[in-house]
Amino acid sequence: HPLTMALADETTRVVSQFDFSDVQVNKHVQEFLRQMDEGLEKDGTSISQIPTYVTGVPNGTEKGLYLAVDLGGTNFRVCSITLNGDTTFNLTYNKVAIPKPLMVAETARELFAFLAKQIELFLREHHADHFESHVRRRNTSSTPQGYRDEHIFRLGFTFSFPVKQLGINKGKLIRWTKGFDIPDAVGKDVCALLQDEIDRLRLPVKVAALVNDTVGTLMARSYTSTGKHRSVLGGIFGTGTNGAYIEKTANIKKPIEGEYDVSTGEMVVNTEWGSFDNQLNVLPLTPWDKALDEQSINPGFQMFEKRVSGMFLGEILRLAVLDMMKNEATSLFKDLNSSTNDWGTTTNISPQSGMFKAWGLDSAIMSVAASDNSPELSTLRQELENTLQVYTPSLEDAQAFKAVSAAVARRAARLSAVAIGAVAIKSGKLSDPREDVIDVGVDGSLVEHYPFFRDMIYEALSAVDGIGPEGAKKIRIGIAKDGSGVGAALIALVAQGME
Ligand code: ADP
């Protein structure tokens, strides 16, 4: 059938533009390593390489009871974590929605008082014994604080907004994002803001650590991975992408402003690798990458993230498919029954579909496309109807969609391998015969749910000079859950060691 041929040719043409060869993978790894080094030397580089003041990673033997809170978007989560010392932990949590007015409050105090109140409610509910005995001691004690150090809960504060970190529990808010806007808080130390409100309620809680979610991922993985291997890297492949890894402090050439524990000789560095190659020395650039960047709120920034993470993959796919639909000869998503249908269009996609709106295609459908290997692609076709209002998509429509989707995801996985491979090389463990495992913790919907995402990463890693199939076997990529819970608790524990 000539129409089908034209669609097949067009699909091949589009798919090939997402090719990312082994040669390119290698070139990218070299450039990634160069930009990592540059970030360790000075500020204002593509990869920011932010020192985190976290000077060690756990090995699974750590013990204790810690608190963690997470403020990152619409919800505030309070949890307590018992580290059992055998790579396992128990976690209890409460989650509350942040009242909208507090997100745009007049003063920082209004928001942080609410957060402190949630911590109090959590302690009363889940740690009543500890809390009540604290209240008794507090009321009978002659000291102003009324409690001894061992009765204090250390708390890790995951705060997912841009901050300038100045110490393990000190960081100034640079700006709000995600719908928050409290100008009064900008430039202030968010840990101190929280501690002040905790103290006002006279809670036995010390804000011990300011936590970045990527660092939490690394810590959580390092604690829970078996065999007492400390992990070298935590990576997130979800809405966005970022990684944190353990670096020799001596290699961090730019000044580290705050105080930290020098005894370990190591520090976790938050790469902010989403902005790798913002100058586009190497990153691939299809017409759809270009269009996506131009319509984004931050053109020219987060260029790596824009090719790798969940928020963007769906949009790349949408733009590519729309272009294919414009090519009359392909008949992709054409309404073949009539020249114009009820919608007055010639496509079988509703004008209301996310297909026609920027950011309207959720990358979750890419996982459905990849999982459906049935001859009729019935699951995918149903999903196209349900989520994108495609009216009875043909098998050919679904096949073309699946092929382009797979190409976009495969390039993302191979780019992810660039970041992971570069850090593995930088760890120096590949060539060390005493190191049999290079452990990497990952989190995020893409690695968790996209079929064979990790396999595609491994395939690319095997092709990297200096890694190869042997090295790739040494690299163990495992899912790390709950970076903002157990990970934050572990950072509070590391911080306690520094007090
Ligand atoms: P976050 O990174 O915000 O903590 P997630 O790790 O769940 O949360 O990532 C959410 C992102 O992943 C969204 O951009 C969403 O479109 C995408 N996503 C969700 N489910 C899937 C899936 N099954 N396959 C691919 N992408 C997905």
PDB file of all heavy atoms in Angstrom, residues 9-19 286 288 320-321 323-324 404 407:
ATOM      1  N   ASP A   9       8.539   5.203   5.403  1.00  0.00           N
ATOM      2  CA  ASP A   9       9.733   5.984   5.040  1.00  0.00           C
ATOM      3  C   ASP A   9       9.888   7.199   5.954  1.00  0.00           C
ATOM      4  O   ASP A   9      10.978   7.504   6.438  1.00  0.00           O
ATOM      5  CB  ASP A   9       9.634   6.480   3.587  1.00  0.00           C
ATOM      6  CG  ASP A   9       9.808   5.334   2.606  1.00  0.00           C
ATOM      7  OD1 ASP A   9      10.194   4.230   3.055  1.00  0.00           O
ATOM      8  OD2 ASP A   9       9.535   5.547   1.404  1.00  0.00           O
ATOM      9  N   GLU A  10       8.769   7.881   6.170  1.00  0.00           N
ATOM     10  CA  GLU A  10       8.812   9.077   7.015  1.00  0.00           C
ATOM     11  C   GLU A  10       9.220   8.697   8.444  1.00  0.00           C
ATOM     12  O   GLU A  10      10.008   9.391   9.083  1.00  0.00           O
ATOM     13  CB  GLU A  10       7.415   9.742   7.005  1.00  0.00           C
ATOM     14  CG  GLU A  10       7.272  10.946   7.922  1.00  0.00           C
ATOM     15  CD  GLU A  10       7.975  12.200   7.432  1.00  0.00           C
ATOM     16  OE1 GLU A  10       8.801  12.104   6.499  1.00  0.00           O
ATOM     17  OE2 GLU A  10       7.717  13.272   8.001  1.00  0.00           O
ATOM     18  N   THR A  11       8.685   7.586   8.926  1.00  0.00           N
ATOM     19  CA  THR A  11       9.030   7.135  10.278  1.00  0.00           C
ATOM     20  C   THR A  11      10.520   6.842  10.368  1.00  0.00           C
ATOM     21  O   THR A  11      11.195   7.286  11.304  1.00  0.00           O
ATOM     22  CB  THR A  11       8.210   5.871  10.646  1.00  0.00           C
ATOM     23  OG1 THR A  11       6.825   6.170  10.479  1.00  0.00           O
ATOM     24  CG2 THR A  11       8.457   5.449  12.084  1.00  0.00           C
ATOM     25  N   THR A  12      11.039   6.151   9.373  1.00  0.00           N
ATOM     26  CA  THR A  12      12.472   5.841   9.364  1.00  0.00           C
ATOM     27  C   THR A  12      13.300   7.130   9.376  1.00  0.00           C
ATOM     28  O   THR A  12      14.300   7.240  10.084  1.00  0.00           O
ATOM     29  CB  THR A  12      12.833   5.014   8.113  1.00  0.00           C
ATOM     30  OG1 THR A  12      11.944   3.913   8.047  1.00  0.00           O
ATOM     31  CG2 THR A  12      14.254   4.517   8.165  1.00  0.00           C
ATOM     32  N   ARG A  13      12.844   8.089   8.598  1.00  0.00           N
ATOM     33  CA  ARG A  13      13.575   9.364   8.507  1.00  0.00           C
ATOM     34  C   ARG A  13      13.596  10.068   9.876  1.00  0.00           C
ATOM     35  O   ARG A  13      14.637  10.548  10.331  1.00  0.00           O
ATOM     36  CB  ARG A  13      12.888  10.267   7.467  1.00  0.00           C
ATOM     37  CG  ARG A  13      13.671  11.536   7.137  1.00  0.00           C
ATOM     38  CD  ARG A  13      12.890  12.437   6.188  1.00  0.00           C
ATOM     39  NE  ARG A  13      11.734  13.081   6.823  1.00  0.00           N
ATOM     40  CZ  ARG A  13      11.824  14.144   7.623  1.00  0.00           C
ATOM     41  NH1 ARG A  13      13.000  14.677   7.898  1.00  0.00           N
ATOM     42  NH2 ARG A  13      10.731  14.660   8.173  1.00  0.00           N
ATOM     43  N   VAL A  14      12.452  10.088  10.539  1.00  0.00           N
ATOM     44  CA  VAL A  14      12.376  10.767  11.840  1.00  0.00           C
ATOM     45  C   VAL A  14      13.166   9.985  12.894  1.00  0.00           C
ATOM     46  O   VAL A  14      13.970  10.560  13.637  1.00  0.00           O
ATOM     47  CB  VAL A  14      10.897  10.958  12.264  1.00  0.00           C
ATOM     48  CG1 VAL A  14      10.806  11.457  13.702  1.00  0.00           C
ATOM     49  CG2 VAL A  14      10.211  11.942  11.320  1.00  0.00           C
ATOM     50  N   VAL A  15      12.959   8.676  12.913  1.00  0.00           N
ATOM     51  CA  VAL A  15      13.656   7.830  13.902  1.00  0.00           C
ATOM     52  C   VAL A  15      15.164   8.000  13.784  1.00  0.00           C
ATOM     53  O   VAL A  15      15.874   8.137  14.791  1.00  0.00           O
ATOM     54  CB  VAL A  15      13.239   6.344  13.721  1.00  0.00           C
ATOM     55  CG1 VAL A  15      14.229   5.411  14.403  1.00  0.00           C
ATOM     56  CG2 VAL A  15      11.832   6.126  14.266  1.00  0.00           C
ATOM     57  N   SER A  16      15.655   8.061  12.551  1.00  0.00           N
ATOM     58  CA  SER A  16      17.117   8.111  12.360  1.00  0.00           C
ATOM     59  C   SER A  16      17.710   9.402  12.921  1.00  0.00           C
ATOM     60  O   SER A  16      18.887   9.454  13.260  1.00  0.00           O
ATOM     61  CB  SER A  16      17.470   7.941  10.881  1.00  0.00           C
ATOM     62  OG  SER A  16      17.048   9.084  10.180  1.00  0.00           O
ATOM     63  N   GLN A  17      16.883  10.432  13.036  1.00  0.00           N
ATOM     64  CA  GLN A  17      17.420  11.691  13.579  1.00  0.00           C
ATOM     65  C   GLN A  17      17.681  11.598  15.078  1.00  0.00           C
ATOM     66  O   GLN A  17      18.347  12.453  15.652  1.00  0.00           O
ATOM     67  CB  GLN A  17      16.464  12.836  13.274  1.00  0.00           C
ATOM     68  CG  GLN A  17      16.381  13.045  11.757  1.00  0.00           C
ATOM     69  CD  GLN A  17      15.787  14.369  11.380  1.00  0.00           C
ATOM     70  OE1 GLN A  17      16.260  15.414  11.830  1.00  0.00           O
ATOM     71  NE2 GLN A  17      14.755  14.324  10.568  1.00  0.00           N
ATOM     72  N   PHE A  18      17.137  10.551  15.703  1.00  0.00           N
ATOM     73  CA  PHE A  18      17.405  10.352  17.132  1.00  0.00           C
ATOM     74  C   PHE A  18      18.522   9.332  17.362  1.00  0.00           C
ATOM     75  O   PHE A  18      18.790   8.956  18.494  1.00  0.00           O
ATOM     76  CB  PHE A  18      16.120   9.935  17.865  1.00  0.00           C
ATOM     77  CG  PHE A  18      15.120  11.038  17.932  1.00  0.00           C
ATOM     78  CD1 PHE A  18      14.058  11.089  17.030  1.00  0.00           C
ATOM     79  CD2 PHE A  18      15.256  12.059  18.863  1.00  0.00           C
ATOM     80  CE1 PHE A  18      13.150  12.137  17.070  1.00  0.00           C
ATOM     81  CE2 PHE A  18      14.346  13.101  18.913  1.00  0.00           C
ATOM     82  CZ  PHE A  18      13.281  13.137  18.010  1.00  0.00           C
ATOM     83  N   ASP A  19      19.152   8.895  16.264  1.00  0.00           N
ATOM     84  CA  ASP A  19      20.285   7.976  16.429  1.00  0.00           C
ATOM     85  C   ASP A  19      21.346   8.633  17.294  1.00  0.00           C
ATOM     86  O   ASP A  19      21.611   9.825  17.159  1.00  0.00           O
ATOM     87  CB  ASP A  19      20.921   7.661  15.062  1.00  0.00           C
ATOM     88  CG  ASP A  19      20.114   6.622  14.303  1.00  0.00           C
ATOM     89  OD1 ASP A  19      19.195   6.040  14.907  1.00  0.00           O
ATOM     90  OD2 ASP A  19      20.408   6.417  13.111  1.00  0.00           O
ATOM     91  N   THR A 286      18.002  17.949  17.121  1.00  0.00           N
ATOM     92  CA  THR A 286      17.034  17.731  16.041  1.00  0.00           C
ATOM     93  C   THR A 286      16.168  18.989  15.937  1.00  0.00           C
ATOM     94  O   THR A 286      16.168  19.819  16.855  1.00  0.00           O
ATOM     95  CB  THR A 286      16.108  16.530  16.353  1.00  0.00           C
ATOM     96  OG1 THR A 286      15.292  16.875  17.469  1.00  0.00           O
ATOM     97  CG2 THR A 286      16.906  15.262  16.663  1.00  0.00           C
ATOM     98  N   TRP A 288      13.241  19.187  16.516  1.00  0.00           N
ATOM     99  CA  TRP A 288      12.253  19.180  17.603  1.00  0.00           C
ATOM    100  C   TRP A 288      12.896  19.567  18.933  1.00  0.00           C
ATOM    101  O   TRP A 288      12.248  20.172  19.776  1.00  0.00           O
ATOM    102  CB  TRP A 288      11.579  17.800  17.654  1.00  0.00           C
ATOM    103  CG  TRP A 288      11.123  17.464  16.261  1.00  0.00           C
ATOM    104  CD1 TRP A 288      10.130  18.107  15.571  1.00  0.00           C
ATOM    105  CD2 TRP A 288      11.703  16.515  15.366  1.00  0.00           C
ATOM    106  NE1 TRP A 288      10.050  17.599  14.293  1.00  0.00           N
ATOM    107  CE2 TRP A 288      10.982  16.620  14.137  1.00  0.00           C
ATOM    108  CE3 TRP A 288      12.734  15.577  15.457  1.00  0.00           C
ATOM    109  CZ2 TRP A 288      11.288  15.821  13.028  1.00  0.00           C
ATOM    110  CZ3 TRP A 288      13.027  14.786  14.356  1.00  0.00           C
ATOM    111  CH2 TRP A 288      12.318  14.910  13.161  1.00  0.00           C
ATOM    112  N   ALA A 320       7.620  15.925  17.082  1.00  0.00           N
ATOM    113  CA  ALA A 320       8.036  15.100  15.943  1.00  0.00           C
ATOM    114  C   ALA A 320       6.815  14.504  15.245  1.00  0.00           C
ATOM    115  O   ALA A 320       6.719  14.528  14.006  1.00  0.00           O
ATOM    116  CB  ALA A 320       8.988  14.000  16.414  1.00  0.00           C
ATOM    117  N   VAL A 321       5.860  13.999  16.036  1.00  0.00           N
ATOM    118  CA  VAL A 321       4.666  13.380  15.442  1.00  0.00           C
ATOM    119  C   VAL A 321       3.833  14.431  14.699  1.00  0.00           C
ATOM    120  O   VAL A 321       3.329  14.188  13.596  1.00  0.00           O
ATOM    121  CB  VAL A 321       3.838  12.655  16.529  1.00  0.00           C
ATOM    122  CG1 VAL A 321       2.475  12.241  15.994  1.00  0.00           C
ATOM    123  CG2 VAL A 321       4.588  11.430  17.043  1.00  0.00           C
ATOM    124  N   ASP A 323       4.889  17.051  13.197  1.00  0.00           N
ATOM    125  CA  ASP A 323       5.572  17.311  11.926  1.00  0.00           C
ATOM    126  C   ASP A 323       5.256  16.226  10.908  1.00  0.00           C
ATOM    127  O   ASP A 323       5.023  16.514   9.736  1.00  0.00           O
ATOM    128  CB  ASP A 323       7.084  17.358  12.149  1.00  0.00           C
ATOM    129  CG  ASP A 323       7.601  18.776  12.097  1.00  0.00           C
ATOM    130  OD1 ASP A 323       6.765  19.689  12.001  1.00  0.00           O
ATOM    131  OD2 ASP A 323       8.834  18.949  12.156  1.00  0.00           O
ATOM    132  N   MET A 324       5.258  14.991  11.384  1.00  0.00           N
ATOM    133  CA  MET A 324       4.949  13.880  10.477  1.00  0.00           C
ATOM    134  C   MET A 324       3.518  13.983   9.963  1.00  0.00           C
ATOM    135  O   MET A 324       3.220  13.643   8.824  1.00  0.00           O
ATOM    136  CB  MET A 324       5.139  12.541  11.195  1.00  0.00           C
ATOM    137  CG  MET A 324       6.593  12.224  11.506  1.00  0.00           C
ATOM    138  SD  MET A 324       6.749  10.803  12.624  1.00  0.00           S
ATOM    139  CE  MET A 324       6.316   9.447  11.541  1.00  0.00           C
ATOM    140  N   VAL A 404       8.695   6.195  16.851  1.00  0.00           N
ATOM    141  CA  VAL A 404       9.299   7.495  17.169  1.00  0.00           C
ATOM    142  C   VAL A 404       9.495   7.615  18.682  1.00  0.00           C
ATOM    143  O   VAL A 404      10.544   8.078  19.161  1.00  0.00           O
ATOM    144  CB  VAL A 404       8.439   8.655  16.617  1.00  0.00           C
ATOM    145  CG1 VAL A 404       9.038  10.004  17.008  1.00  0.00           C
ATOM    146  CG2 VAL A 404       8.325   8.551  15.099  1.00  0.00           C
ATOM    147  N   ALA A 407      12.502   5.785  19.774  1.00  0.00           N
ATOM    148  CA  ALA A 407      13.742   6.465  19.377  1.00  0.00           C
ATOM    149  C   ALA A 407      14.085   7.595  20.345  1.00  0.00           C
ATOM    150  O   ALA A 407      15.242   7.779  20.746  1.00  0.00           O
ATOM    151  CB  ALA A 407      13.595   7.002  17.947  1.00  0.00           C
TER     152      ALA A 407
END
